[in-house]
Amino acid sequence: MIKVESATRRYGQLTAVDRVSFEVNKNEIVGFVGPNGAGKSTMLKMLSTFIHPTEGRVLIDDLDAVEHPLAVRRRIGYLAGDTPLYQEMRVEKFLRFIARARGLEGEALEDGLATAIDLCGLAPVLKQRVKECSTGFRQRIGLATALVHDPPILLLDEPTHGFDPMQVIAFRDTLRSLRDDRAILFSTHIIGDVEALSDRVLIIHHGRLLGDGRVEDLAREAGIPGADLEEVFAHLVRTTAPAHV
Ligand code: ADP
Ligand code: MG
């Protein structure tokens, strides 16, 4: 469902994403992990059609994101790290506004809203203004905007950012409940998120993909069987030549 073929993105002299290739299939939750500045957001922005690759291709359901941006956007739910929310609007009204902007109406709109509100646990804040909601709720509002059109592919950029521990647990349950028939790619620099949720991890560092697989398999391949994700990550960073700029 998600296919990236040697995608590169440069900003002037800087190569933010460097010849990265991977796939994410239906019924998979894949964690995209790497430190700040590794290139995670840049990759997710390319998949969501907001920026174009400098070289290579990104495909959603075999559709090139550059050539078919509208068809791609219909198939994806994208939670950006910095989704703008209309602060003065009440939550329910805001979600309704987003659903209409996505082209939903009638029953599809009501169903989409009800499902997104339920999945994101937004019932308690529907009548509040967005600006009155806590960071955790605002993040959930952002997630609801990504879900309202029931997309088969979810691209979530640091979805647990700003959550307290209870919200993290609730969110992980939500994501697991969304896995069926969907492909989910989420970025994080929190190793616990990845260990709790992912079927597979993509490890990115300085724009380069250093590992793609289950943590156990990556550990075995690295010659450190039984190692956890943190140790695998440190090993891969140490043993990979520095990226050329
Ligand atoms: P991550 O999400 O993993 O923290 P990003 O994809 O945001 O990483 O950034 C990767 C690199 O690209 C960083 O060095 C960042 O400073 C740079 N970068 C990101 N966006 C831009 C931009 N619009 N212009 C210039 N450099 C950028
Ligand atoms: Mg980022």
Side-chain angles (χ1 to χ4, degrees):
M1 299 187 97
I2 298 174
K3 194 170 187 184
V4 175
E5 295 177 344
S6 198
T8 293
R9 171 71 197 200
R10 279 190 278 274
Y11 294 111
Q13 293 293 304
L14 177 87
T15 305
V17 170
D18 191 1
R19 290 162 295 165
V20 166
S21 301
F22 64 87
E23 288 183 24
V24 181
N25 299 307
K26 218 184 204 178
N27 301 314
E28 256 193 323
I29 303 182
V30 173
F32 200 23
V33 60
N36 289 330
K40 304 179 298 294
S41 297
T42 301
M43 187 69 244
L44 292 172
K45 282 181 199 156
M46 287 194 274
L47 284 164
S48 358
T49 79
F50 288 97
I51 60 174
H52 292 176
T54 315
E55 282 161 33
R57 298 202 304 167
V58 299
L59 304 157
I60 296 289
D61 285 344
D62 295 322
L63 295 165
D64 186 309
V66 175
E67 287 167 23
H68 305 283
L70 294 180
V72 164
R73 284 187 196 192
R74 273 198 293 276
R75 288 168 166 78
I76 62 165
Y78 171 51
L79 174 67
D82 50 0
T83 305
L85 305 175
Y86 291 91
Q87 300 293 335
E88 295 297 330
M89 266 189 182
R90 295 188 194 278
V91 172
E92 183 172 8
K93 217 168 172 189
F94 173 65
L95 292 176
R96 217 166 255 286
F97 166 77
I98 295 289
R100 275 201 211 99
R102 291 225 173 246
L104 296 180
E105 48 186 44
E107 212 174 314
L109 186 144
E110 297 306 326
D111 286 353
L113 269 183
T115 306
I117 288 166
D118 183 38
L119 281 169
C120 300
L122 289 176
V125 298
L126 286 180
K127 303 293 176 210
Q128 283 183 29
R129 287 184 203 282
V130 170
K131 68 174 182 191
E132 295 161 1
C133 295
S134 65
T135 313
F137 269 115
R138 277 207 289 269
Q139 188 72 346
R140 287 200 244 173
I141 295 166
L143 183 62
T145 67
L147 291 174
V148 78
H149 54 304
D150 193 21
I153 294 168
L154 295 181
L155 305 166
L156 310 175
D157 200 355
E158 308 223 13
T160 59
H161 180 80
F163 281 8
D164 67 33
M166 289 311 290
Q167 290 166 336
V168 168
I169 291 168
F171 174 78
R172 288 173 182 169
D173 287 341
T174 303
L175 216 55
R176 282 191 206 102
S177 73
L178 287 167
R179 178 208 264 132
D180 284 354
D181 290 327
R182 289 199 179 82
I184 304 178
L185 176 62
F186 76 98
S187 75
T188 187
H189 56 266
I190 300 162
I191 303 254
D193 279 347
V194 180
E195 288 180 336
L197 280 172
S198 328
D199 301 305
R200 184 153 64 84
V201 294
L202 300 169
I203 296 176
I204 187 167
H205 186 58
H206 290 320
R208 294 204 293 166
L209 196 65
L210 303 188
D212 174 356
R214 296 179 339 132
V215 175
E216 306 90 280
D217 295 338
L218 292 176
R220 203 163 0 86
E221 285 161 23
I224 43 174
D228 64 16
L229 178 56
E230 231 154 27
E231 292 162 329
V232 170
F233 180 78
H235 176 89
L236 289 172
V237 168
R238 271 199 308 271
T239 55
T240 311
H244 63 84
V245 179

Short mmCIF file of all heavy atoms in Angstrom, two decimals, residues 9-12 14-17 32 34-45 51 157-158 187 189 204 207, ligand 1:
data_model
loop_
_atom_site.label_atom_id
_atom_site.label_comp_id
_atom_site.label_asym_id
_atom_site.label_seq_id
_atom_site.Cartn_x
_atom_site.Cartn_y
_atom_site.Cartn_z
N ARG A 9 15.37 13.53 -0.77
CA ARG A 9 14.88 14.91 -0.69
C ARG A 9 16.02 15.79 -0.21
O ARG A 9 16.59 15.56 0.85
CB ARG A 9 13.70 15.01 0.26
CG ARG A 9 13.26 16.43 0.57
CD ARG A 9 12.60 17.12 -0.61
NE ARG A 9 12.57 18.56 -0.40
CZ ARG A 9 11.76 19.39 -1.03
NH1 ARG A 9 10.89 18.94 -1.90
NH2 ARG A 9 11.82 20.68 -0.81
N ARG A 10 16.33 16.77 -1.02
CA ARG A 10 17.37 17.72 -0.62
C ARG A 10 16.77 19.08 -0.34
O ARG A 10 15.79 19.48 -0.97
CB ARG A 10 18.40 17.85 -1.75
CG ARG A 10 19.42 16.72 -1.76
CD ARG A 10 20.56 16.97 -2.72
NE ARG A 10 20.20 16.60 -4.07
CZ ARG A 10 20.33 15.38 -4.58
NH1 ARG A 10 20.84 14.41 -3.85
NH2 ARG A 10 19.95 15.12 -5.81
N TYR A 11 17.34 19.75 0.65
CA TYR A 11 17.05 21.17 0.88
C TYR A 11 18.36 21.89 0.64
O TYR A 11 19.24 21.87 1.51
CB TYR A 11 16.60 21.40 2.33
CG TYR A 11 15.27 20.77 2.70
CD1 TYR A 11 15.22 19.69 3.59
CD2 TYR A 11 14.07 21.27 2.19
CE1 TYR A 11 14.00 19.13 3.95
CE2 TYR A 11 12.86 20.71 2.55
CZ TYR A 11 12.83 19.64 3.43
OH TYR A 11 11.63 19.08 3.79
N GLY A 12 18.54 22.45 -0.53
CA GLY A 12 19.82 23.08 -0.85
C GLY A 12 20.93 22.05 -0.76
O GLY A 12 20.87 21.00 -1.40
N LEU A 14 21.70 20.32 1.86
CA LEU A 14 21.42 19.27 2.84
C LEU A 14 20.57 18.16 2.23
O LEU A 14 19.55 18.42 1.60
CB LEU A 14 20.66 19.88 4.03
CG LEU A 14 20.23 18.87 5.08
CD1 LEU A 14 21.34 18.66 6.09
CD2 LEU A 14 18.96 19.33 5.77
N THR A 15 21.02 16.90 2.42
CA THR A 15 20.21 15.76 1.98
C THR A 15 19.43 15.26 3.19
O THR A 15 19.97 14.58 4.06
CB THR A 15 21.10 14.65 1.39
OG1 THR A 15 21.89 15.24 0.35
CG2 THR A 15 20.26 13.53 0.80
N ALA A 16 18.14 15.63 3.25
CA ALA A 16 17.32 15.29 4.43
C ALA A 16 16.89 13.83 4.39
O ALA A 16 16.78 13.17 5.43
CB ALA A 16 16.10 16.20 4.51
N VAL A 17 16.64 13.31 3.17
CA VAL A 17 16.31 11.90 2.98
C VAL A 17 17.16 11.41 1.82
O VAL A 17 17.19 12.04 0.76
CB VAL A 17 14.80 11.71 2.68
CG1 VAL A 17 14.51 10.28 2.24
CG2 VAL A 17 13.96 12.05 3.91
N PHE A 32 8.60 4.27 12.50
CA PHE A 32 9.67 4.96 11.80
C PHE A 32 10.46 5.67 12.89
O PHE A 32 9.97 6.61 13.51
CB PHE A 32 9.00 5.95 10.86
CG PHE A 32 9.85 6.43 9.73
CD1 PHE A 32 10.91 5.71 9.26
CD2 PHE A 32 9.52 7.62 9.10
CE1 PHE A 32 11.66 6.16 8.20
CE2 PHE A 32 10.25 8.08 8.04
CZ PHE A 32 11.34 7.34 7.59
N GLY A 34 14.03 7.34 14.69
CA GLY A 34 15.31 7.99 14.49
C GLY A 34 15.33 9.28 15.29
O GLY A 34 14.27 9.79 15.65
N PRO A 35 16.53 9.80 15.57
CA PRO A 35 16.61 11.01 16.39
C PRO A 35 16.06 12.23 15.66
O PRO A 35 15.77 12.16 14.46
CB PRO A 35 18.11 11.16 16.63
CG PRO A 35 18.78 10.38 15.56
CD PRO A 35 17.84 9.32 15.13
N ASN A 36 15.93 13.32 16.37
CA ASN A 36 15.47 14.57 15.74
C ASN A 36 16.39 14.92 14.58
O ASN A 36 17.61 14.80 14.70
CB ASN A 36 15.47 15.72 16.75
CG ASN A 36 14.36 15.55 17.77
OD1 ASN A 36 13.31 14.97 17.45
ND2 ASN A 36 14.58 16.02 18.97
N GLY A 37 15.80 15.32 13.48
CA GLY A 37 16.60 15.71 12.32
C GLY A 37 16.97 14.56 11.41
O GLY A 37 17.65 14.74 10.40
N ALA A 38 16.50 13.34 11.72
CA ALA A 38 16.88 12.16 10.93
C ALA A 38 16.25 12.14 9.55
O ALA A 38 16.77 11.50 8.63
CB ALA A 38 16.50 10.88 11.69
N GLY A 39 15.11 12.81 9.39
CA GLY A 39 14.43 12.81 8.09
C GLY A 39 13.04 12.19 8.12
O GLY A 39 12.42 12.02 7.08
N LYS A 40 12.53 11.90 9.31
CA LYS A 40 11.22 11.24 9.42
C LYS A 40 10.10 12.11 8.88
O LYS A 40 9.29 11.66 8.05
CB LYS A 40 10.92 10.88 10.90
CG LYS A 40 11.98 10.04 11.56
CD LYS A 40 11.66 9.73 13.01
CE LYS A 40 11.57 10.93 13.94
NZ LYS A 40 12.86 11.64 14.15
N SER A 41 10.04 13.35 9.34
CA SER A 41 8.95 14.23 8.89
C SER A 41 9.04 14.47 7.39
O SER A 41 8.03 14.50 6.70
CB SER A 41 8.99 15.57 9.63
OG SER A 41 8.77 15.37 11.00
N THR A 42 10.26 14.63 6.90
CA THR A 42 10.45 14.86 5.46
C THR A 42 9.89 13.68 4.66
O THR A 42 9.18 13.87 3.67
CB THR A 42 11.94 15.08 5.15
OG1 THR A 42 12.40 16.20 5.91
CG2 THR A 42 12.18 15.32 3.68
N MET A 43 10.18 12.47 5.12
CA MET A 43 9.67 11.28 4.43
C MET A 43 8.14 11.25 4.47
O MET A 43 7.49 11.00 3.45
CB MET A 43 10.24 10.02 5.12
CG MET A 43 9.94 8.74 4.42
SD MET A 43 10.83 8.60 2.85
CE MET A 43 9.48 8.58 1.74
N LEU A 44 7.56 11.53 5.62
CA LEU A 44 6.09 11.48 5.74
C LEU A 44 5.44 12.58 4.91
O LEU A 44 4.36 12.39 4.35
CB LEU A 44 5.67 11.57 7.21
CG LEU A 44 6.05 10.33 8.04
CD1 LEU A 44 5.79 10.56 9.52
CD2 LEU A 44 5.30 9.10 7.56
N LYS A 45 6.10 13.73 4.81
CA LYS A 45 5.55 14.82 3.97
C LYS A 45 5.57 14.43 2.50
O LYS A 45 4.68 14.80 1.75
CB LYS A 45 6.34 16.11 4.19
CG LYS A 45 5.98 16.83 5.46
CD LYS A 45 6.79 18.11 5.60
CE LYS A 45 6.77 18.58 7.05
NZ LYS A 45 7.93 19.43 7.35
N ILE A 51 5.34 17.63 -0.03
CA ILE A 51 6.58 17.99 -0.72
C ILE A 51 6.93 16.88 -1.70
O ILE A 51 6.46 15.74 -1.54
CB ILE A 51 7.77 18.25 0.24
CG1 ILE A 51 8.07 17.01 1.08
CG2 ILE A 51 7.52 19.45 1.13
CD1 ILE A 51 9.31 17.17 1.93
N ASP A 157 2.82 11.51 12.20
CA ASP A 157 4.12 12.07 12.56
C ASP A 157 4.15 12.38 14.05
O ASP A 157 3.49 13.30 14.51
CB ASP A 157 4.37 13.33 11.71
CG ASP A 157 5.85 13.68 11.65
OD1 ASP A 157 6.66 13.00 12.33
OD2 ASP A 157 6.20 14.63 10.92
N GLU A 158 4.89 11.59 14.78
CA GLU A 158 5.00 11.72 16.23
C GLU A 158 3.65 11.84 16.91
O GLU A 158 3.36 12.83 17.60
CB GLU A 158 5.88 12.93 16.58
CG GLU A 158 7.20 12.85 15.83
CD GLU A 158 8.39 13.21 16.67
OE1 GLU A 158 8.27 13.31 17.89
OE2 GLU A 158 9.47 13.38 16.07
N SER A 187 5.86 7.86 13.02
CA SER A 187 7.23 8.20 13.39
C SER A 187 7.28 8.50 14.88
O SER A 187 6.28 8.91 15.49
CB SER A 187 7.70 9.42 12.62
OG SER A 187 7.11 10.58 13.16
N HIS A 189 10.48 9.28 18.21
CA HIS A 189 11.83 9.05 18.71
C HIS A 189 11.74 8.39 20.08
O HIS A 189 12.73 8.25 20.79
CB HIS A 189 12.66 10.34 18.73
CG HIS A 189 12.04 11.44 19.52
ND1 HIS A 189 11.25 12.40 18.93
CD2 HIS A 189 12.07 11.72 20.82
CE1 HIS A 189 10.83 13.22 19.88
NE2 HIS A 189 11.30 12.82 21.03
N ILE A 204 16.03 5.19 10.83
CA ILE A 204 16.58 6.23 9.95
C ILE A 204 17.52 7.11 10.75
O ILE A 204 17.27 7.42 11.93
CB ILE A 204 15.44 7.03 9.26
CG1 ILE A 204 15.99 8.01 8.22
CG2 ILE A 204 14.57 7.73 10.27
CD1 ILE A 204 14.93 8.60 7.31
N GLY A 207 19.09 10.80 7.38
CA GLY A 207 18.42 10.64 6.10
C GLY A 207 18.55 9.26 5.48
O GLY A 207 17.97 8.99 4.43
P1 ADP B 1 12.83 14.51 11.80
O1 ADP B 1 11.37 14.59 11.52
O2 ADP B 1 13.37 13.10 11.78
O3 ADP B 1 13.19 15.20 13.07
P2 ADP B 1 13.08 16.26 9.51
O4 ADP B 1 12.59 15.47 8.35
O5 ADP B 1 12.18 17.28 10.07
O6 ADP B 1 13.62 15.27 10.63
O7 ADP B 1 14.41 17.02 9.09
C1 ADP B 1 15.48 16.37 8.41
C2 ADP B 1 16.54 17.40 8.09
O8 ADP B 1 16.06 18.29 7.10
C3 ADP B 1 16.94 18.27 9.29
O9 ADP B 1 18.33 18.52 9.19
C4 ADP B 1 16.14 19.53 9.07
O10 ADP B 1 16.79 20.64 9.64
C5 ADP B 1 16.10 19.63 7.56
N1 ADP B 1 14.88 20.30 7.07
C6 ADP B 1 13.61 19.90 7.26
N2 ADP B 1 12.74 20.71 6.65
C7 ADP B 1 13.49 21.67 6.04
C8 ADP B 1 13.18 22.80 5.23
N3 ADP B 1 11.91 23.12 4.92
N4 ADP B 1 14.21 23.55 4.78
C9 ADP B 1 15.47 23.24 5.07
N5 ADP B 1 15.85 22.19 5.82
C10 ADP B 1 14.86 21.39 6.30
#
